[in-house]
Amino acid sequence: MSASGYKRDNTGLYIIKDSGSTLDYTIDWSDWLATGETVSSVSYTVPSGITTSTAIGSAATATTSTTTRVTLTGGTNDTIYTIKASMATNQGRTVVRNFRVRVEDAHL
């Protein structure tokens, strides 16, 4: 799993999102998939205060054979949200992973 763009605190890694931004977050599940295994579905659990949004012409969650995506919008500044991703494979396995998003005013 790539940690590009993440920051670290005493709990672990998180990524910054501005409350006014609507952004896509992609998980590459390749490290957890066996040879020939693919992603068949994914669901995201998002805490109150930050929401999934539907992009024009596409679903809020998109799936390829090895990646999934969720689009997040909103959030309260100075709050860290834990997003839970539950992925099922074509071989009946389930993988659950969490990632953290910190909402704050983002500056260049």
Side-chain angles (χ1 to χ4, degrees):
M1 181 176 198
S2 171
S4 173
Y6 283 81
K7 297 192 180 265
R8 180 178 296 278
D9 64 9
N10 59 349
T11 303
L13 297 175
Y14 64 91
I15 195 157
I16 293 175
K17 179 198 165 306
D18 190 282
S19 63
S21 297
T22 298
L23 298 172
D24 294 335
Y25 297 88
T26 301
I27 297 176
D28 183 344
W29 299 95
S30 298
D31 290 347
W32 295 283
L33 297 171
T35 302
E37 191 171 27
T38 60
V39 173
S40 61
S41 67
V42 67
S43 65
Y44 287 89
T45 304
V46 181
S48 176
I50 196 166
T51 59
T52 59
S53 68
T54 302
I56 295 171
S58 65
T61 58
T63 304
T64 70
S65 62
T66 60
T67 65
T68 61
R69 182 186 76 224
V70 63
T71 303
L72 300 178
T73 190
T76 302
N77 279 346
D78 300 319
T79 302
I80 294 179
Y81 298 92
T82 299
I83 313 302
K84 179 180 177 180
S86 300
M87 182 271 295
T89 75
N90 65 333
Q91 296 181 8
R93 296 191 313 148
T94 301
V95 179
V96 176
R97 292 293 182 262
N98 297 289
F99 66 96
R100 298 183 315 139
V101 175
R102 178 182 169 89
V103 176
E104 63 183 52
D105 289 332
H107 302 279
L108 296 176

